[in-house]
Amino acid sequence: MNKIKRLLPVLLLIVGVVVVSMGVAGAQDDDLTFAMVAHGGVENPFWIVVINGMEDACELLNASCQWLADPNFNLEDMAGYWDDALALDPDGVGTTVADPDVIRDGVGRAVDLGLPVIAFNTADPGAGTADALPLLFYIGANEFTGGVSNARRVFDEAAADGIEIVRGVCTIQEQGHSGLEARCAGVEAVFDEEGVPIDRLNITNDAAETAGILADYFAANPDTNAIFMLGPSPSTGLNLYLQEAGREPRELYATSHDTSAEIYQMIQDGFLLQTIDQQPYLQGFQTIMWLYLNSQFALTPGGDIFTGPGVIDLNNVDQIITLTEAGYR
Amino acid sequence: MGELTSPAPGGVQPAASAAEDARRATGLRAAISSLVVAGVLCLLFAEQIITGWLPLAERVNISRRDLNWVELLVIVGMVIWGLLTLWTAYTTWRRGATQVATYFADRASRPSPAVIFSVATLAVIGLVSLFLAEQTITGWLALGERIDISRRDINFPEILLIVFGLIAALVSLRTFAGWVQRATPALAWSQWVFLVTAIIGMVIVLSGLFDTPMAIPADGSSIAENIAGLLALVLPGLIIFFSSIAAYQIITAEVDTRADQVVRNLLSRTPGAGAIVGFAAILIFFGVASDLFLEPRALAGALTTNITRGVVAIGITMLMISGEFDLSVGSQLGSIGLFFLLTMTEGIFGLPPFSAIPAVIATFIFATVLGFINGFITIRTGIPSFIVTLGTLLAYRAIPLVIIPEGRILRYADYRLPPPTIEISRVVILIGALLLVAVFVLMGRRLLPRLWRAYRDRHENYTNDTDDFRDLYLFLTGIRFLITAVALAAVIIFLLLGAVNQISQLGSLLVIDFFQLMNGQLDFLPGDVNLRSGVIWWFSLVIILQFILTQTPYGSYVFAVGGNPGAARAQGINVNFVKVMNFILCSWMVAFAAIMDVSRVQSVDSTRGDGLELEVIAASVIGGSLLSGGYGSIVGALLGVLIFGMLRTGLVLIGLNPRIFNGVIGVIIIVAVVINTFVRRERR
């Protein structure tokens, strides 16, 4: 008797939860439901903009949308988030492909259910091979061409100033990250074409640490006059180094990827030639739109949709700053 | 029990002397084999030159068969030295003793070959050191990064070589004279000369190995195509190494206290033996591997980059000695840095923005709360602090994650505020300076007469002094008196000048840029040397905390609490208070580091300090702290952090793939801790 008394509240709780969730699930049945599985979330300013794009699209479509991601960068957890996504009984799923094998099972089950699956932000590295995931297409930036654009800009500006690029360096803040490696590969492709040597340098996301590493690197390689940063934190480190070493704008031809207040200021001060913006808002907005078009009318585009490289430089930086404050860039 | 511990009557002496005999026999064998190796290497070197495989000096035509005078000189030298070593090895082997002791004891005895070899080695070391110093002074020998070979200024590595070369020449030639006079102190001195020379020989071998890529033929695929080139790089170092090791073994085979035993005893007295060995090894390794490493620029960079790590490691070490852990320091750094920045810019808890000093006070109160939470939960629940702070590691990280809007980088510059300043009345500075002058004058009055008496006693008793190193002690006591007197006088004059300067503008306030004060670039150094005031704060904190730990009652409480809490409690020490206090102290150090970090970078992002906890614990463990508590040193932790810094800088400078950085750090942690453990065991 005592036992039943103790179990009673627990039972009531379980019944309550089941009833409520059935009610919620039932209420959602009429609307469209889309799920987005990613490898990052609200802790990162980049993903905030993608989520803004998703939410705006869903509001237009009157659909209910879920962003499913681990607050910490953990690839393995994406399999679990795929289970959650399918449990929502969605009309379509967008996913990043940070590691194809982790999500292969989830994508397979979605396709078996007849759901459209679109890759966004990070493409399937096995696309076009026998190992390819059954994805419709990819919406996101091409990291490689972003790197190419940066390197081209450096050579063009140097040529305009009548200066020869002697040696370049591409810095990587997270070792083994495929997107960052692709950005460097794009830079290296241009340098190989021009016959100019280029180094790779491992830095960290800590600005002070990065400034120290850069000071050591330039002490060992004083002739290097082109540097490629791959994100906001590394650019903060570069700025710290430039200020402390008292270097002038255009002494180093520097570029970056992605955006931050510091990057905008460095562009305005002339320390950065340009930064590559992959227009993350589009990645959220378009993925939802195409999931809608495909699930309702079986429409598909002619191939992958590239949201970048978009270039931010001295010409458009002021406009971009306004749009950033509004959460679109 | 008594039977086991007390040996049979008369058994002690033979047993001890048997062990002694075995040790001497081992020393003798080592000496003979080193001699043979050195001799063979010398002859090999000469052979390579004679046969023409190894050209020396300037050779226009590599294939010509004539020898130039440099080559002739080296051949003659090598043949003589090779024959001398082999002859010494043979005769020593035949006699079964080096007879060094006999040489000193009996003035009539003829010097044995082993004695001749040792004396000759000393003479060569002295003359070569003198020659190297002379060549550097006259500019024929250039070291480090020299863009212009003909310039007349002397850089840092060259100054080192000149000073060291002159000292080495003085010591070895004086010791040489001692051997000739058969004065026993020469025995002790030459041990040290040979030991240091052997280490230098290894360094030269290392430096040769770094140059092997240059010896690889342009067309050939591997070094195997150019054995002669490889030999030229490593043979000189190997010959120096084996010759001096042989001489060292010859001497120590018949003495009671060996120099290496003295070194081992010294090391076993400090907790951070592994850190000292690792520090020296890394300094030598990168100093040899890269011309840029010993430049002030690189060393300053290695210090500046590690201010945060260094200051937090102080707190962690204190805490670890008292037997607790704090894994949350990285998250605390992010939270406290953010708190400090917000206090100055937006204002916290609805208060208006503070100026610098109140902001610092508020930040330290915040740090106290964070540290107290860690300590309070640990003490009250009895849960291991490893678990408690694992929880707060995650919990404290949530503070910057939640507060920083959308995870952006929060910058001081974005608030369009003027740089924070501190305004101090010049009267306060004047009084402070005069107080400091008084303190230093008092210090001088107490210290200088004592140091002078120490020197005078040494001087007066010099002829009666039987110590082997009486010259060194005389010199050191003299120089100690001089340096202290000059330093005190300089500080007092500097302070008085500053005070006079203040009087002339007494009415106005002194305005100090707060960021500049906490972590600004030091103006009096050249522009490319990025040494910041944070380094001065860091080292001051090391000195203060090391003083507290080793010289005050609180410090001994810390050791007692970590070593044996029960016994500490029985002695009336409030164990809980000491532990909580150390948690708070650790958070204060983090606050100090966070304020310096914000002063330099002037921004905070939500990942600031990520992973810091393991790095500082690693530095502390390298420095000799035990995870179980009760043992450790703050100076050791300083060395541990410096090892981190030098490794990072060194790997970038020699252009090695920095991906191996963590791998190397891992190996160093294990090696250092093995050394620490080994040394601690030996002491027991």
Side-chain angles (χ1 to χ4, degrees):
Chain A
M1 194 58 202
N2 233 350
K3 217 172 199 177
I4 295 173
K5 246 186 192 169
R6 261 190 285 152
L7 277 176
L8 204 63
V10 180
L11 278 173
L12 275 177
L13 190 70
I14 293 173
V15 170
V17 168
V18 169
V19 168
V20 169
S21 36
M22 276 165 66
V24 170
Q28 281 185 345
D29 255 355
D30 309 338
D31 290 337
L32 289 169
T33 302
F34 298 114
M36 301 272 270
V37 185
H39 58 271
V42 288
E43 84 289 0
N44 188 323
F46 176 85
W47 293 111
I48 299 277
V49 184
V50 182
I51 295 171
N52 281 346
M54 172 189 86
E55 284 174 349
D56 286 358
C58 291
E59 208 178 299
L60 285 178
L61 297 172
N62 209 10
S64 84
C65 298
Q66 278 274 12
W67 184 269
L68 299 164
D70 198 45
N72 296 320
F73 182 72
N74 191 342
L75 294 179
E76 279 70 31
D77 286 354
M78 276 186 76
Y81 284 110
W82 254 97
D83 292 338
D84 298 346
L86 293 177
L88 290 170
D89 187 19
D91 296 287
V93 184
T95 184
T96 64
V97 193
D99 183 339
D101 292 321
V102 170
I103 61 169
R104 190 175 298 280
D105 176 59
V107 174
R109 278 188 284 152
V111 171
D112 291 345
L113 290 168
L115 298 176
V117 183
I118 297 174
F120 72 97
N121 178 266
T122 353
D124 180 8
T129 68
D131 282 344
L133 293 168
L135 302 164
L136 287 178
F137 52 92
Y138 165 66
I139 299 176
N142 187 324
E143 305 287 8
F144 185 85
T145 52
V148 169
S149 160
N150 270 342
R152 280 263 155 265
R153 181 68 178 262
V154 162
F155 278 104
D156 292 349
E157 295 274 344
D161 294 350
I163 285 173
E164 186 193 351
I165 297 295
V166 185
R167 176 180 278 272
V169 58
C170 190
T171 62
I172 290 196
Q173 67 268 29
E174 281 162 35
Q175 306 181 12
H177 185 300
S178 61
L180 299 182
E181 305 273 348
R183 292 175 181 181
C184 271
V187 171
E188 283 161 357
V190 175
F191 271 73
D192 289 348
E193 202 178 294
E194 298 275 345
V196 178
I198 178 141
D199 299 324
R200 274 201 192 195
L201 183 67
N202 278 103
I203 56 172
T204 71
N205 268 321
D206 185 273
E209 187 95 39
T210 298
I213 296 173
L214 289 178
D216 291 335
Y217 173 82
F218 283 108
N221 305 278
D223 54 339
T224 301
N225 58 353
I227 183 164
F228 299 89
M229 314 308 288
L230 304 186
S233 298
S235 293
T236 302
L238 173 69
N239 206 18
L240 191 62
Y241 161 71
L242 293 171
Q243 304 306 326
E244 289 181 0
R247 302 192 73 155
E248 300 290 322
R250 296 206 160 230
E251 214 177 290
L252 278 178
Y253 290 86
T255 64
S256 181
H257 284 260
D258 302 336
T259 58
S260 73
E262 187 117 10
I263 288 180
Y264 295 148
Q265 196 200 325
M266 288 170 79
I267 290 175
Q268 287 169 331
D269 293 347
F271 285 111
L272 283 179
L273 299 176
Q274 66 175 30
T275 188
I276 294 295
D277 182 16
Q278 46 173 304
Q279 312 196 79
Y281 184 85
L282 278 182
Q283 295 175 6
F285 189 87
Q286 287 219 40
T287 305
I288 294 297
M289 280 302 172
W290 278 108
L291 285 175
Y292 167 74
L293 293 171
N294 186 276
S295 62
Q296 303 303 310
F297 317 120
L299 293 167
T300 49
D304 291 347
I305 298 173
F306 290 130
T307 63
V311 171
I312 300 175
D313 59 11
L314 208 48
N315 298 322
N316 60 353
V317 63
D318 295 330
Q319 185 198 359
I320 300 280
I321 291 174
T322 328
L323 289 169
T324 303
E325 279 158 10
Y328 295 107
R329 296 300 291 254
Chain B
M1 289 306 279
E3 282 174 12
L4 288 173
T5 45
S6 64
V12 179
Q13 263 329 94
S17 90
E20 190 63 14
D21 284 348
R23 189 177 72 78
R24 289 189 174 172
T26 319
L28 202 62
R29 269 200 303 278
I32 293 170
S33 35
S34 304
L35 281 168
V36 172
V37 173
V40 170
L41 290 177
C42 284
L43 295 180
L44 178 67
F45 200 24
E47 182 268 345
Q48 287 284 312
I49 302 174
I50 295 171
T51 51
W53 286 106
L54 190 61
L56 291 184
E58 203 182 353
R59 294 210 78 159
V60 182
N61 180 2
I62 203 84
S63 68
R64 64 172 191 194
R65 276 274 137 272
D66 58 329
L67 297 168
N68 61 28
W69 68 269
V70 177
E71 292 171 333
L72 281 174
L73 212 64
V74 172
I75 291 171
V76 172
M78 283 297 122
V79 170
I80 291 176
W81 197 253
L83 292 179
L84 177 65
T85 48
L86 291 179
W87 175 59
T88 312
Y90 174 72
T91 48
T92 311
W93 174 64
R94 286 298 299 268
R95 291 177 193 203
T98 59
Q99 293 184 330
V100 173
T102 326
Y103 171 77
F104 279 97
D106 180 6
R107 298 197 72 84
S109 67
R110 283 177 42 143
S112 71
V115 170
I116 294 173
F117 172 76
S118 305
V119 175
T121 313
L122 264 180
V124 170
I125 292 171
L127 293 176
V128 169
S129 308
L130 201 59
F131 178 69
L132 284 178
E134 184 268 338
Q135 289 283 301
T136 317
I137 292 172
T138 51
W140 288 103
L141 187 66
L143 293 182
E145 190 195 17
R146 294 208 78 159
I147 297 156
D148 176 9
I149 202 81
S150 69
R151 66 173 187 186
R152 272 277 136 271
D153 59 327
I154 289 176
N155 62 22
F156 186 61
E158 289 171 341
I159 293 174
L160 273 184
L161 178 64
I162 292 171
V163 171
F164 190 78
L166 290 178
I167 293 176
L170 181 72
V171 169
S172 14
L173 293 179
R174 174 67 186 87
T175 312
F176 174 79
W179 277 80
V180 175
Q181 295 162 354
R182 305 195 189 212
T184 40
L187 210 52
W189 280 84
S190 36
Q191 277 191 48
W192 289 102
V193 172
F194 294 141
L195 204 59
V196 173
T197 314
I199 293 172
I200 292 173
M202 276 327 279
V203 173
I204 295 174
V205 172
L206 188 71
S207 139
L209 287 176
F210 278 117
D211 290 337
T212 38
M214 280 190 250
I216 296 174
D219 53 336
S221 51
S222 77
I223 191 71
E225 307 286 320
N226 188 11
I227 295 292
L230 183 65
L231 287 177
L233 289 173
V234 297
L235 271 184
L238 284 178
I239 291 171
I240 293 173
F241 175 74
F242 280 108
S243 297
S244 28
I245 276 293
Y248 179 74
Q249 297 285 7
I250 284 172
I251 296 170
T252 52
E254 292 184 14
V255 299
D256 297 326
T257 42
R258 296 162 56 107
D260 54 322
Q261 191 59 47
V262 173
V263 172
R264 244 178 277 165
N265 290 346
L266 275 178
L267 279 180
S268 72
R269 261 188 249 151
T270 81
I276 294 171
V277 172
F279 180 80
I282 289 176
L283 195 67
I284 291 173
F285 180 86
F286 284 116
V288 169
S290 168
D291 290 344
L292 297 161
F293 188 73
L294 290 179
E295 297 277 321
R297 182 172 54 187
L299 296 177
L303 287 173
T304 293
T305 311
N306 286 284
I307 294 171
T308 302
R309 232 177 249 137
V311 172
V312 177
I314 298 172
I316 276 285
T317 307
M318 279 294 258
L319 192 56
M320 274 170 64
I321 293 173
S322 64
E324 300 293 342
F325 251 124
D326 191 348
L327 288 178
S328 69
V329 286
S331 301
Q332 285 186 37
L333 188 83
S335 310
I336 296 175
L338 173 71
F339 185 90
F340 176 61
L341 194 70
L342 285 181
T343 315
M344 282 198 304
T345 54
E346 291 180 12
I348 31 121
F349 308 128
L351 295 168
F354 289 170
S355 62
I357 293 294
V360 168
I361 294 169
T363 306
F364 270 89
I365 294 172
F366 179 62
T368 311
V369 172
L370 295 188
F372 182 75
I373 292 174
N374 280 340
F376 185 74
I377 298 177
T378 307
I379 296 304
R380 267 305 152 102
T381 60
I383 300 170
S385 51
F386 184 88
I387 307 293
V388 173
T389 56
L390 185 64
T392 50
L393 159 76
L394 300 170
Y396 291 164
R397 177 60 69 193
I399 297 172
L401 281 175
V402 169
I403 291 181
I404 296 184
E406 300 183 350
R408 291 187 190 290
I409 301 172
L410 207 66
R411 300 194 308 157
Y412 188 79
D414 289 339
Y415 291 94
R416 307 272 184 271
L417 292 168
T421 52
I422 308 176
E423 293 174 354
I424 309 172
S425 162
R426 289 183 191 270
V427 178
V428 174
I429 302 216
L430 185 65
I431 295 170
L434 291 178
L435 277 177
L436 274 178
V437 168
V439 168
F440 280 116
V441 167
L442 277 177
M443 248 176 87
R445 276 196 54 186
R446 283 188 50 187
L447 209 57
L448 288 179
R450 219 175 64 207
L451 295 181
W452 173 248
R453 266 200 307 280
Y455 171 73
R456 210 186 44 201
D457 291 350
R458 283 271 170 209
H459 188 73
E460 282 170 359
N461 297 332
Y462 180 74
T463 40
N464 306 329
D465 199 345
T466 51
D467 196 295
D468 288 340
F469 296 102
R470 60 181 184 179
D471 307 87
L472 186 67
Y473 291 138
L474 182 68
F475 176 74
L476 286 182
T477 44
I479 208 87
R480 188 176 60 175
F481 171 74
L482 271 182
I483 289 178
T484 318
V486 170
L488 276 176
V491 169
I492 290 172
I493 289 171
F494 175 79
L495 284 171
L496 284 178
L497 283 180
V500 169
N501 197 17
Q502 298 302 323
I503 290 175
S504 60
Q505 37 190 332
L506 212 50
S508 63
L509 290 170
L510 181 69
V511 180
I512 303 171
D513 184 331
F514 180 73
F515 287 162
Q516 201 64 26
L517 175 72
M518 289 312 295
N519 209 353
Q521 199 151 351
L522 298 178
D523 297 333
F524 54 86
L525 295 167
D528 63 338
V529 179
N530 189 12
L531 195 70
R532 306 185 83 82
S533 47
V535 177
I536 297 176
W537 293 115
W538 169 18
F539 279 74
S540 309
L541 286 172
V542 167
I543 292 168
I544 294 169
L545 271 291
Q546 177 75 17
F547 179 82
I548 291 177
L549 190 61
T550 56
Q551 307 291 328
T552 66
Y554 183 76
S556 41
Y557 296 166
V558 171
F559 279 109
V561 163
N564 188 342
R569 208 169 276 125
Q571 285 174 3
I573 298 172
N574 188 340
V575 172
N576 289 353
F577 170 77
V578 171
K579 288 197 169 181
V580 173
M581 194 57 224
N582 273 356
F583 272 108
I584 293 174
L585 194 75
C586 183
S587 292
W588 284 350
M589 289 299 133
V590 177
F592 223 111
I595 290 171
M596 287 194 283
D597 186 57
V598 169
S599 299
R600 182 177 173 206
V601 186
Q602 301 187 11
S603 68
V604 177
D605 59 64
S606 47
T607 60
R608 187 63 49 88
D610 218 10
L612 179 73
E613 55 281 345
L614 291 183
E615 291 174 349
V616 291
I617 290 173
S620 194
V621 168
I622 291 175
S625 298
L626 288 183
L627 292 184
S628 48
Y631 196 71
S633 121
I634 286 172
V635 175
L638 169 74
L639 290 179
V641 172
L642 291 181
I643 286 177
F644 259 87
M646 293 195 305
L647 253 185
R648 177 86 81 183
T649 296
L651 288 177
V652 175
L653 285 182
I654 63 177
L656 247 175
N657 191 341
R659 278 168 206 257
I660 68 169
F661 175 76
N662 282 336
V664 176
I665 279 283
V667 173
I668 287 194
I669 291 174
I670 292 171
V671 171
V673 174
V674 167
I675 294 176
N676 288 343
T677 315
F678 177 77
V679 162
R680 211 167 45 243
R681 213 173 282 148
E682 183 157 296
R683 195 176 53 158
R684 284 211 193 100

